[in-house]
Amino acid sequence: MKSYTKKYVIVGCGNRGIEMFAVPIVKKFSDVAELVGISDVNLQRMGVLKKRVKRDIASFKNFSEMLKVTKPDTVIVTTIDKFHHKYIIEALEFGADVITEKPMTIDDEKCRAILNAQKRTGKKVTVTFNYRFTPYVSKIKELISKGAIGKILSVDFEWILDARHGADYFRRWHRNKANSGGLLVHKATHHFDLVNWLINQEPETVFAFGGLNFYGPKRKQRGQRCLTCKYKSSCEFYMDISCKEFKKLYLEAEKCDGYYRDKCVFAVEIDIEDTMALCVKYDKGAVMTYSLIAHSPYEGWRMAINGTNGRLEAEIFESGHKASGKNQKIMFYDRKGQIKEIIVPKSKGGHGGGDERLLRMLFVGDLKDPLGHMAGTRAGAMSILTGISANYSIALGKPINVKDLLKKSPVK
């Protein structure tokens, strides 16, 4: 007997909406999922999506109209971050479930509004923390769940973005906190969720520092955008927006909404940090030190988790001279002086193979989940509220109680 085919719509037709959701729904999961509508303020990008999936999907500039016409079971939200709450709440109140890209939203007021809407409507919100699903991270979770480390005491976590990947956040809409919440929300929500999930604790207090130390107005030789910049031949951050990868989705779409994908990374208007460090105290006693930079010569991350039974060390490097080979290692040092090396074969696919596993669980739901990979609004809230607390801490120069933000914003 054929299973019920759920109806999905997507709001936000950028690269993530197209490649992560539209293409898989149409090409891999059409037996259980149907993409019945797409919505974006940019007609060009909706056209690119339809060409990519080779289907004439119903298109709407008006999100509310799309809901009324298509009557979806689930709304997929892949807009820029500052609009997530708007579409999540409207979808819930319409009676649909929601799948949203991380971060769930960008500030505590919008977070509270989403939590209240879900409670009021009884509908489901899933936050797509794809990094949980990577086999490497799943193995760490498995070891901790089996008690290998014992009671978790502390975490040391360093995330390093190289100057290619990191710079891209300073070209795009992410460069303004009003759009993204800064990297401590947009990017680090992944990282904070990983720790919350791995150690099974929730953040309690955050104290943070941060600055715009590398990008922003640090260079006199700058322009408005790469396309028209007179320094393009000498700037190591030049991006060719006319190349095939960007032309249809961005350069030719500029006429619709005036959005430039290739703004200068040294612009005066940038107001997010590129260098950040914070301390977190958790509700079950653990503490974490965390740092994030967006201008390294290589990219990757290191994590050490210390417990009553020993110390676990993990690291992945994705570019530069330290890039990982075919296998990835987890090292465990116990209290008896023994060292155990756990080898995890490197997986192919987006986010270390996490995207594919996440999609299978989202649309088919036939994978067992004993480790609790899927995340809802509580996990979405606890991850972003760590970063939001860090933003408040940087601005106010004091520690912030995370769960206070579930009730009200701090006085500035």
Side-chain angles (χ1 to χ4, degrees), residues 30-102:
S30 59
D31 57 331
V32 293
E34 181 184 6
L35 183 59
V36 297
I38 57 175
S39 179
D40 200 296
V41 296
N42 193 298
L43 295 174
Q44 168 76 11
R45 279 196 280 275
M46 286 195 284
V48 171
L49 185 151
K50 289 191 284 189
K51 287 182 180 178
R52 182 72 178 85
V53 300
K54 298 180 181 178
R55 295 279 179 87
D56 187 20
I57 311 294
S59 306
F60 303 84
K61 288 191 75 172
N62 185 288
F63 177 71
S64 301
E65 182 186 358
M66 179 174 69
L67 294 180
K68 293 174 184 176
V69 172
T70 62
K71 297 179 173 57
D73 297 297
T74 303
V75 174
I76 299 172
V77 179
T78 56
T79 63
I80 70 172
D81 300 347
K82 73 175 181 178
F83 294 129
H84 283 188
H85 72 293
K86 175 183 184 296
Y87 297 115
I88 291 171
I89 293 170
E90 185 172 347
L92 292 174
E93 292 178 339
F94 177 81
D97 292 327
V98 175
I99 296 170
T100 182
E101 267 292 289
K102 60 82 192 163

Side-chain angles (χ1 to χ4, degrees), residues 335-396:
R335 297 290 178 190
K336 300 176 182 178
Q338 296 178 330
I339 302 173
K340 185 176 182 180
E341 181 180 86
I342 300 101
I343 301 296
V344 181
K346 193 173 185 179
S347 297
K348 296 180 180 179
H351 291 90
D355 286 353
E356 289 72 15
R357 290 164 177 81
L358 169 61
L359 289 171
R360 183 81 192 181
M361 198 170 286
L362 278 174
F363 297 119
V364 183
D366 59 348
L367 300 179
K368 293 182 179 180
D369 190 22
L371 298 177
H373 286 84
M374 295 302 288
T377 50
R378 183 68 183 188
M382 287 299 103
S383 66
I384 58 171
L385 289 176
T386 308
I388 292 165
S389 295
N391 281 338
Y392 277 127
S393 181
I394 291 169
L396 302 176

Side-chain angles (χ1 to χ4, degrees), residues 1 59 79 132 221 281 302 310 320 338 341 374 390 403:
M1 184 175 69
S59 306
T79 63
R132 287 187 180 197
Q221 294 180 329
K281 181 179 181 297
R302 300 183 184 92
Q338 296 178 330
E341 181 180 86
M374 295 302 288
K403 292 180 183 178

Side-chain angles (χ1 to χ4, degrees), residues 136 313-315 327-331 341-344:
Y136 184 72
E313 295 180 351
E315 62 179 30
N327 293 319
Q328 297 162 330
K329 293 189 297 185
I330 302 168
M331 302 298 298
E341 181 180 86
I342 300 101
I343 301 296
V344 181

Side-chain angles (χ1 to χ4, degrees), residues 109-129:
E109 181 180 1
K110 295 178 179 66
C111 180
R112 292 191 295 271
I114 291 171
L115 295 176
N116 289 336
Q118 185 179 35
K119 184 177 181 180
R120 186 170 64 249
T121 63
K123 303 305 291 184
K124 181 181 179 182
V125 178
T126 301
V127 185
T128 55
F129 289 121

Side-chain angles (χ1 to χ4, degrees), residues 71-253:
K71 297 179 173 57
D73 297 297
T74 303
V75 174
I76 299 172
V77 179
T78 56
T79 63
I80 70 172
D81 300 347
K82 73 175 181 178
F83 294 129
H84 283 188
H85 72 293
K86 175 183 184 296
Y87 297 115
I88 291 171
I89 293 170
E90 185 172 347
L92 292 174
E93 292 178 339
F94 177 81
D97 292 327
V98 175
I99 296 170
T100 182
E101 267 292 289
K102 60 82 192 163
M104 190 170 75
T105 188
I106 64 169
D107 63 43
D108 54 304
E109 181 180 1
K110 295 178 179 66
C111 180
R112 292 191 295 271
I114 291 171
L115 295 176
N116 289 336
Q118 185 179 35
K119 184 177 181 180
R120 186 170 64 249
T121 63
K123 303 305 291 184
K124 181 181 179 182
V125 178
T126 301
V127 185
T128 55
F129 289 121
N130 36 24
Y131 220 92
R132 287 187 180 197
F133 290 78
T134 66
Y136 184 72
V137 171
S138 294
K139 187 63 178 180
I140 297 172
K141 176 66 173 178
E142 180 186 326
L143 291 168
I144 293 173
S145 298
K146 289 181 177 178
I149 306 174
K151 180 183 178 182
I152 305 300
L153 304 176
S154 68
V155 179
D156 302 305
F157 197 2
E158 178 185 22
W159 201 285
I160 309 158
L161 293 171
D162 64 26
R164 180 195 63 82
H165 184 187
D168 218 30
Y169 294 110
F170 296 83
R171 293 189 185 99
R172 298 182 283 167
W173 53 266
H174 311 74
R175 65 206 251 138
N176 297 121
K177 278 194 176 178
N179 291 330
S180 67
L183 291 181
L184 283 168
V185 175
H186 175 82
K187 185 66 180 174
T189 186
H190 257 324
H191 316 156
F192 300 143
D193 175 71
L194 272 187
V195 176
N196 297 347
W197 179 62
L198 287 173
I199 71 174
N200 193 30
Q201 299 188 35
E202 291 189 343
E204 191 174 81
T205 308
V206 175
F207 201 164
F209 297 92
L212 182 60
N213 299 335
F214 186 84
Y215 303 106
K218 302 294 187 294
R219 183 179 293 186
K220 292 182 179 180
Q221 294 180 329
R222 60 179 184 263
Q224 182 186 17
R225 59 181 304 192
C226 291
L227 183 68
T228 57
C229 185
K230 63 182 179 180
Y231 303 109
K232 65 174 69 175
S233 62
S234 60
C235 181
E236 70 273 30
F237 294 99
Y238 170 69
M239 188 195 86
D240 183 8
I241 198 171
S242 65
C243 71
K244 184 178 179 181
E245 180 183 359
F246 298 113
K247 187 176 181 181
K248 292 290 184 183
L249 198 57
Y250 297 107
L251 183 59
E252 293 182 1

